[in-house]
Amino acid sequence: MGAGGRMNVAADDKPLAHKRVPVSKPPFELSDLKKAIPPHCWERSLVRSFAAVFRDFIIIGALYYLADTFIPMLPKPLAYVAWPVYWFFQGAYLMGLWVIGHECGHHGFSDYPWLNDTIGFIVHSLILTPYFGFKYSHRTHHANTNSIEYDEVWIPKRKSDKLYSEILNNPTGAFLVFVFKIVLGFPLYFVFNLYGRKYEKGITSHFYPYSPIFNDSERFQIFLTDLGVFATCYAVYRAAVIMGTQWVINIYGMPILFMSGFFILLTYLHHTHPAIPHYDSTEWDWLRGALATVDRNFGFLNHAFHDVTRTHTVHHLFPTIPHYNTFEAREAVKPILGEYYKYDDTPILEAVWRETKDCIFIEPDVVDGEKKGIYWFHK
């Protein structure tokens, strides 16, 4: 494991944001981190959890009212500016609602599993996310974070993939990859498991009950997931019949597109960075995998996203802590984590462009002429 120390020394002349995290076995255990977190951080409050849901619905409703009432009254040049502003902010707060559904999947919303699944199913269905499908694949992601063989999402490419390592390994290619991810990454991930783990057999889709992503006891819930998303799609269709297609696109379609872009930004940037490693089965263990994540600062959008952007590492360590307590939990464990904690406050557009063009594929460390099971991003 000495490779980690050598690689860190080699990276010392790089900006701090690029300094590689240690890959040696941490000098602390998960139990040490758990003891450092104040006991009240583990408590789930129905009042605070529902307050977060109501906050999102109130803001989403207010934005809808303002857009539907006043934008059609504006002169066309102003309307062409006002609609994208509405799409951006509505998409951001729809992403906040998505975060609540994600928390329900971790049973961080309340002490009652049935209530978690009910709220999660409703809010995710309303924003075209397969709640149970994501809940179960996301469980596997948390169990195998940054394992190149068993992780469920953002599996890095290898140098042998010539499309990425050669054809797209240039500024133009990086820009096309960025646009593709932002626009189509959300639906393609859930429908075709793009950016997800490759399975040898079966159709890998979050909507297919017999997908190898799920086990037999989970398949009925995937049917329910499909019904929930179908019901929303049907409601959107009926709204288009009554109100017109353009109205639906402006009020709902484009905000969902922006929300899906925010989803890609959050998940991609939390798991892609020049300074974090990936591991194969010869080196991977759960704690080091969970620590190979990055906290980011989304500026004013932190409010829309319930500030989960800056607490992703502690979320991977303790996913049942509710979002309103994760910041305090993060501050409690940071002194113990030391160099094993990664925070990057590079402006988000700059960061996503840097990661898109610099994190093209992964290759293993080579120490004394021998390849190790620790992989780093290259371009």
Side-chain angles (χ1 to χ4, degrees), residues 37 41 103 295 306-312 314-316 318-333:
I37 297 175
C41 288
E103 183 157 276
D295 285 356
H306 297 287
D307 214 17
V308 299
T309 45
R310 298 188 291 172
T311 59
H312 194 71
V314 78
H315 168 69
H316 263 272
F318 304 107
T320 60
I321 295 179
H323 71 271
Y324 40 80
N325 290 333
T326 50
F327 194 85
E328 184 178 357
R330 187 197 77 168
E331 293 305 293
V333 300

mmCIF file of all heavy atoms in Angstrom, residues 37 41 103 295 306-312 314-316 318-333:
data_model
loop_
_atom_site.group_PDB
_atom_site.id
_atom_site.type_symbol
_atom_site.label_atom_id
_atom_site.label_comp_id
_atom_site.label_asym_id
_atom_site.label_seq_id
_atom_site.Cartn_x
_atom_site.Cartn_y
_atom_site.Cartn_z
ATOM 1 N N ILE A 37 -19.670 11.585 16.313
ATOM 2 C CA ILE A 37 -20.873 12.299 15.875
ATOM 3 C C ILE A 37 -21.833 12.450 17.050
ATOM 4 O O ILE A 37 -22.162 11.469 17.722
ATOM 5 C CB ILE A 37 -21.551 11.544 14.716
ATOM 6 C CG1 ILE A 37 -20.612 11.497 13.503
ATOM 7 C CG2 ILE A 37 -22.876 12.205 14.339
ATOM 8 C CD1 ILE A 37 -21.144 10.661 12.359
ATOM 9 N N CYS A 41 -27.599 13.774 16.079
ATOM 10 C CA CYS A 41 -27.512 13.794 14.615
ATOM 11 C C CYS A 41 -28.190 12.579 13.986
ATOM 12 O O CYS A 41 -28.568 12.616 12.813
ATOM 13 C CB CYS A 41 -26.048 13.850 14.174
ATOM 14 S SG CYS A 41 -25.247 15.445 14.465
ATOM 15 N N GLU A 103 -33.463 10.470 0.096
ATOM 16 C CA GLU A 103 -33.325 10.260 1.541
ATOM 17 C C GLU A 103 -34.323 9.225 2.046
ATOM 18 O O GLU A 103 -34.000 8.424 2.932
ATOM 19 C CB GLU A 103 -33.520 11.587 2.267
ATOM 20 C CG GLU A 103 -33.317 11.496 3.769
ATOM 21 C CD GLU A 103 -32.974 12.823 4.388
ATOM 22 O OE1 GLU A 103 -31.775 13.182 4.372
ATOM 23 O OE2 GLU A 103 -33.898 13.501 4.866
ATOM 24 N N ASP A 295 -16.801 16.210 -1.590
ATOM 25 C CA ASP A 295 -17.816 17.221 -1.252
ATOM 26 C C ASP A 295 -17.601 18.443 -2.134
ATOM 27 O O ASP A 295 -16.453 18.852 -2.383
ATOM 28 C CB ASP A 295 -17.703 17.619 0.214
ATOM 29 C CG ASP A 295 -18.253 16.551 1.152
ATOM 30 O OD1 ASP A 295 -18.794 15.545 0.657
ATOM 31 O OD2 ASP A 295 -18.130 16.725 2.379
ATOM 32 N N HIS A 306 -30.852 21.217 -0.538
ATOM 33 C CA HIS A 306 -30.843 20.870 0.892
ATOM 34 C C HIS A 306 -29.425 20.668 1.418
ATOM 35 O O HIS A 306 -29.213 19.914 2.369
ATOM 36 C CB HIS A 306 -31.695 19.629 1.154
ATOM 37 C CG HIS A 306 -33.152 19.814 0.833
ATOM 38 N ND1 HIS A 306 -33.990 20.576 1.613
ATOM 39 C CD2 HIS A 306 -33.904 19.348 -0.212
ATOM 40 C CE1 HIS A 306 -35.221 20.559 1.081
ATOM 41 N NE2 HIS A 306 -35.182 19.840 -0.028
ATOM 42 N N ASP A 307 -28.470 21.306 0.786
ATOM 43 C CA ASP A 307 -27.066 21.311 1.221
ATOM 44 C C ASP A 307 -26.421 19.927 1.251
ATOM 45 O O ASP A 307 -25.394 19.718 1.896
ATOM 46 C CB ASP A 307 -26.919 21.967 2.600
ATOM 47 C CG ASP A 307 -25.598 22.720 2.729
ATOM 48 O OD1 ASP A 307 -24.974 23.009 1.695
ATOM 49 O OD2 ASP A 307 -25.179 23.001 3.857
ATOM 50 N N VAL A 308 -26.994 18.962 0.541
ATOM 51 C CA VAL A 308 -26.352 17.636 0.483
ATOM 52 C C VAL A 308 -25.083 17.680 -0.365
ATOM 53 O O VAL A 308 -24.277 16.746 -0.325
ATOM 54 C CB VAL A 308 -27.319 16.579 -0.087
ATOM 55 C CG1 VAL A 308 -28.543 16.450 0.805
ATOM 56 C CG2 VAL A 308 -27.721 16.896 -1.532
ATOM 57 N N THR A 309 -24.907 18.757 -1.105
ATOM 58 C CA THR A 309 -23.732 18.901 -1.977
ATOM 59 C C THR A 309 -22.435 18.933 -1.188
ATOM 60 O O THR A 309 -21.406 18.465 -1.654
ATOM 61 C CB THR A 309 -23.873 20.204 -2.771
ATOM 62 O OG1 THR A 309 -24.290 21.254 -1.871
ATOM 63 C CG2 THR A 309 -24.918 20.063 -3.854
ATOM 64 N N ARG A 310 -22.477 19.498 0.015
ATOM 65 C CA ARG A 310 -21.261 19.663 0.815
ATOM 66 C C ARG A 310 -21.067 18.569 1.859
ATOM 67 O O ARG A 310 -20.129 18.643 2.659
ATOM 68 C CB ARG A 310 -21.275 21.033 1.510
ATOM 69 C CG ARG A 310 -21.289 22.214 0.542
ATOM 70 C CD ARG A 310 -21.113 23.533 1.258
ATOM 71 N NE ARG A 310 -22.287 23.867 2.066
ATOM 72 C CZ ARG A 310 -22.320 24.899 2.914
ATOM 73 N NH1 ARG A 310 -21.257 25.655 3.079
ATOM 74 N NH2 ARG A 310 -23.432 25.155 3.597
ATOM 75 N N THR A 311 -21.935 17.553 1.854
ATOM 76 C CA THR A 311 -21.868 16.522 2.898
ATOM 77 C C THR A 311 -21.935 15.112 2.331
ATOM 78 O O THR A 311 -22.370 14.182 3.002
ATOM 79 C CB THR A 311 -23.020 16.722 3.906
ATOM 80 O OG1 THR A 311 -24.276 16.635 3.203
ATOM 81 C CG2 THR A 311 -22.915 18.073 4.608
ATOM 82 N N HIS A 312 -21.497 14.950 1.098
ATOM 83 C CA HIS A 312 -21.655 13.646 0.448
ATOM 84 C C HIS A 312 -20.767 12.579 1.079
ATOM 85 O O HIS A 312 -21.151 11.405 1.134
ATOM 86 C CB HIS A 312 -21.345 13.764 -1.050
ATOM 87 C CG HIS A 312 -21.795 12.572 -1.832
ATOM 88 N ND1 HIS A 312 -23.120 12.292 -2.061
ATOM 89 C CD2 HIS A 312 -21.096 11.576 -2.440
ATOM 90 C CE1 HIS A 312 -23.222 11.193 -2.775
ATOM 91 N NE2 HIS A 312 -22.018 10.724 -3.017
ATOM 92 N N VAL A 314 -19.802 12.214 4.291
ATOM 93 C CA VAL A 314 -20.396 11.682 5.515
ATOM 94 C C VAL A 314 -21.678 10.916 5.195
ATOM 95 O O VAL A 314 -22.033 9.961 5.907
ATOM 96 C CB VAL A 314 -20.658 12.816 6.536
ATOM 97 C CG1 VAL A 314 -21.909 13.626 6.192
ATOM 98 C CG2 VAL A 314 -20.764 12.256 7.947
ATOM 99 N N HIS A 315 -22.350 11.276 4.118
ATOM 100 C CA HIS A 315 -23.526 10.516 3.688
ATOM 101 C C HIS A 315 -23.131 9.097 3.293
ATOM 102 O O HIS A 315 -23.849 8.139 3.599
ATOM 103 C CB HIS A 315 -24.213 11.220 2.516
ATOM 104 C CG HIS A 315 -25.254 10.379 1.841
ATOM 105 N ND1 HIS A 315 -26.443 10.044 2.443
ATOM 106 C CD2 HIS A 315 -25.274 9.788 0.620
ATOM 107 C CE1 HIS A 315 -27.152 9.288 1.630
ATOM 108 N NE2 HIS A 315 -26.473 9.114 0.506
ATOM 109 N N HIS A 316 -21.995 8.943 2.634
ATOM 110 C CA HIS A 316 -21.557 7.598 2.269
ATOM 111 C C HIS A 316 -21.121 6.794 3.485
ATOM 112 O O HIS A 316 -21.244 5.569 3.493
ATOM 113 C CB HIS A 316 -20.425 7.657 1.240
ATOM 114 C CG HIS A 316 -20.920 7.477 -0.154
ATOM 115 N ND1 HIS A 316 -21.056 6.244 -0.757
ATOM 116 C CD2 HIS A 316 -21.348 8.377 -1.073
ATOM 117 C CE1 HIS A 316 -21.532 6.387 -1.966
ATOM 118 N NE2 HIS A 316 -21.727 7.678 -2.193
ATOM 119 N N PHE A 318 -22.413 7.285 6.636
ATOM 120 C CA PHE A 318 -23.584 7.064 7.483
ATOM 121 C C PHE A 318 -24.838 7.540 6.748
ATOM 122 O O PHE A 318 -25.357 8.633 7.009
ATOM 123 C CB PHE A 318 -23.427 7.811 8.815
ATOM 124 C CG PHE A 318 -22.170 7.452 9.556
ATOM 125 C CD1 PHE A 318 -21.101 8.348 9.616
ATOM 126 C CD2 PHE A 318 -22.025 6.218 10.172
ATOM 127 C CE1 PHE A 318 -19.940 8.028 10.292
ATOM 128 C CE2 PHE A 318 -20.865 5.884 10.849
ATOM 129 C CZ PHE A 318 -19.814 6.784 10.911
ATOM 130 N N PRO A 319 -25.346 6.754 5.811
ATOM 131 C CA PRO A 319 -26.421 7.223 4.921
ATOM 132 C C PRO A 319 -27.774 7.408 5.583
ATOM 133 O O PRO A 319 -28.660 8.012 4.979
ATOM 134 C CB PRO A 319 -26.489 6.130 3.847
ATOM 135 C CG PRO A 319 -25.899 4.923 4.493
ATOM 136 C CD PRO A 319 -24.849 5.420 5.427
ATOM 137 N N THR A 320 -27.968 6.920 6.818
ATOM 138 C CA THR A 320 -29.274 7.092 7.452
ATOM 139 C C THR A 320 -29.383 8.394 8.238
ATOM 140 O O THR A 320 -30.460 8.714 8.737
ATOM 141 C CB THR A 320 -29.576 5.920 8.403
ATOM 142 O OG1 THR A 320 -28.569 5.856 9.421
ATOM 143 C CG2 THR A 320 -29.623 4.591 7.646
ATOM 144 N N ILE A 321 -28.284 9.157 8.344
ATOM 145 C CA ILE A 321 -28.374 10.460 9.012
ATOM 146 C C ILE A 321 -29.205 11.395 8.134
ATOM 147 O O ILE A 321 -28.909 11.565 6.947
ATOM 148 C CB ILE A 321 -26.977 11.062 9.253
ATOM 149 C CG1 ILE A 321 -26.189 10.193 10.242
ATOM 150 C CG2 ILE A 321 -27.080 12.484 9.792
ATOM 151 C CD1 ILE A 321 -24.779 10.711 10.519
ATOM 152 N N PRO A 322 -30.255 12.016 8.672
ATOM 153 C CA PRO A 322 -31.081 12.920 7.846
ATOM 154 C C PRO A 322 -30.286 14.130 7.376
ATOM 155 O O PRO A 322 -29.341 14.566 8.039
ATOM 156 C CB PRO A 322 -32.221 13.326 8.785
ATOM 157 C CG PRO A 322 -31.714 13.055 10.158
ATOM 158 C CD PRO A 322 -30.764 11.910 10.055
ATOM 159 N N HIS A 323 -30.688 14.669 6.242
ATOM 160 C CA HIS A 323 -29.892 15.707 5.591
ATOM 161 C C HIS A 323 -29.681 16.931 6.471
ATOM 162 O O HIS A 323 -28.650 17.598 6.372
ATOM 163 C CB HIS A 323 -30.557 16.129 4.269
ATOM 164 C CG HIS A 323 -31.819 16.909 4.443
ATOM 165 N ND1 HIS A 323 -33.059 16.318 4.552
ATOM 166 C CD2 HIS A 323 -32.042 18.250 4.533
ATOM 167 C CE1 HIS A 323 -33.974 17.253 4.699
ATOM 168 N NE2 HIS A 323 -33.391 18.434 4.699
ATOM 169 N N TYR A 324 -30.638 17.244 7.339
ATOM 170 C CA TYR A 324 -30.524 18.448 8.156
ATOM 171 C C TYR A 324 -29.519 18.282 9.303
ATOM 172 O O TYR A 324 -29.246 19.241 10.025
ATOM 173 C CB TYR A 324 -31.894 18.871 8.701
ATOM 174 C CG TYR A 324 -32.784 17.731 9.154
ATOM 175 C CD1 TYR A 324 -32.610 17.123 10.395
ATOM 176 C CD2 TYR A 324 -33.788 17.259 8.317
ATOM 177 C CE1 TYR A 324 -33.426 16.078 10.792
ATOM 178 C CE2 TYR A 324 -34.615 16.217 8.713
ATOM 179 C CZ TYR A 324 -34.427 15.623 9.946
ATOM 180 O OH TYR A 324 -35.235 14.585 10.337
ATOM 181 N N ASN A 325 -28.976 17.078 9.470
ATOM 182 C CA ASN A 325 -27.947 16.862 10.491
ATOM 183 C C ASN A 325 -26.587 16.492 9.908
ATOM 184 O O ASN A 325 -25.618 16.331 10.658
ATOM 185 C CB ASN A 325 -28.382 15.758 11.459
ATOM 186 C CG ASN A 325 -29.530 16.175 12.359
ATOM 187 O OD1 ASN A 325 -29.695 17.354 12.642
ATOM 188 N ND2 ASN A 325 -30.328 15.212 12.797
ATOM 189 N N THR A 326 -26.506 16.343 8.597
ATOM 190 C CA THR A 326 -25.252 15.855 8.019
ATOM 191 C C THR A 326 -24.127 16.880 8.090
ATOM 192 O O THR A 326 -22.954 16.505 8.199
ATOM 193 C CB THR A 326 -25.449 15.427 6.547
ATOM 194 O OG1 THR A 326 -26.114 16.474 5.828
ATOM 195 C CG2 THR A 326 -26.257 14.151 6.462
ATOM 196 N N PHE A 327 -24.456 18.181 8.047
ATOM 197 C CA PHE A 327 -23.393 19.178 8.103
ATOM 198 C C PHE A 327 -22.711 19.139 9.474
ATOM 199 O O PHE A 327 -21.476 19.182 9.569
ATOM 200 C CB PHE A 327 -23.950 20.578 7.831
ATOM 201 C CG PHE A 327 -22.892 21.603 7.548
ATOM 202 C CD1 PHE A 327 -22.378 21.761 6.274
ATOM 203 C CD2 PHE A 327 -22.383 22.397 8.564
ATOM 204 C CE1 PHE A 327 -21.391 22.701 6.010
ATOM 205 C CE2 PHE A 327 -21.398 23.336 8.314
ATOM 206 C CZ PHE A 327 -20.894 23.487 7.031
ATOM 207 N N GLU A 328 -23.501 19.040 10.529
ATOM 208 C CA GLU A 328 -22.917 18.935 11.869
ATOM 209 C C GLU A 328 -22.113 17.646 11.997
ATOM 210 O O GLU A 328 -21.032 17.637 12.610
ATOM 211 C CB GLU A 328 -24.010 18.985 12.928
ATOM 212 C CG GLU A 328 -23.477 18.970 14.354
ATOM 213 C CD GLU A 328 -24.572 19.074 15.402
ATOM 214 O OE1 GLU A 328 -25.754 19.219 15.030
ATOM 215 O OE2 GLU A 328 -24.235 19.011 16.608
ATOM 216 N N ALA A 329 -22.624 16.561 11.434
ATOM 217 C CA ALA A 329 -21.892 15.290 11.484
ATOM 218 C C ALA A 329 -20.577 15.393 10.722
ATOM 219 O O ALA A 329 -19.542 14.865 11.156
ATOM 220 C CB ALA A 329 -22.758 14.173 10.920
ATOM 221 N N ARG A 330 -20.603 16.076 9.585
ATOM 222 C CA ARG A 330 -19.374 16.256 8.811
ATOM 223 C C ARG A 330 -18.320 16.999 9.618
ATOM 224 O O ARG A 330 -17.144 16.611 9.636
ATOM 225 C CB ARG A 330 -19.678 17.027 7.526
ATOM 226 C CG ARG A 330 -18.512 17.121 6.569
ATOM 227 C CD ARG A 330 -18.703 18.218 5.535
ATOM 228 N NE ARG A 330 -18.442 19.542 6.095
ATOM 229 C CZ ARG A 330 -18.303 20.645 5.365
ATOM 230 N NH1 ARG A 330 -18.419 20.593 4.048
ATOM 231 N NH2 ARG A 330 -18.074 21.812 5.940
ATOM 232 N N GLU A 331 -18.722 18.073 10.256
ATOM 233 C CA GLU A 331 -17.770 18.855 11.050
ATOM 234 C C GLU A 331 -17.203 18.032 12.202
ATOM 235 O O GLU A 331 -16.049 18.227 12.604
ATOM 236 C CB GLU A 331 -18.447 20.117 11.576
ATOM 237 C CG GLU A 331 -18.831 21.107 10.485
ATOM 238 C CD GLU A 331 -17.644 21.498 9.625
ATOM 239 O OE1 GLU A 331 -16.732 22.166 10.143
ATOM 240 O OE2 GLU A 331 -17.618 21.121 8.431
ATOM 241 N N ALA A 332 -18.002 17.099 12.743
ATOM 242 C CA ALA A 332 -17.546 16.281 13.868
ATOM 243 C C ALA A 332 -16.483 15.271 13.451
ATOM 244 O O ALA A 332 -15.578 14.953 14.229
ATOM 245 C CB ALA A 332 -18.731 15.560 14.497
ATOM 246 N N VAL A 333 -16.576 14.754 12.204
ATOM 247 C CA VAL A 333 -15.634 13.709 11.791
ATOM 248 C C VAL A 333 -14.440 14.257 11.005
ATOM 249 O O VAL A 333 -13.445 13.544 10.834
ATOM 250 C CB VAL A 333 -16.340 12.617 10.953
ATOM 251 C CG1 VAL A 333 -17.450 11.960 11.757
ATOM 252 C CG2 VAL A 333 -16.880 13.181 9.637
#
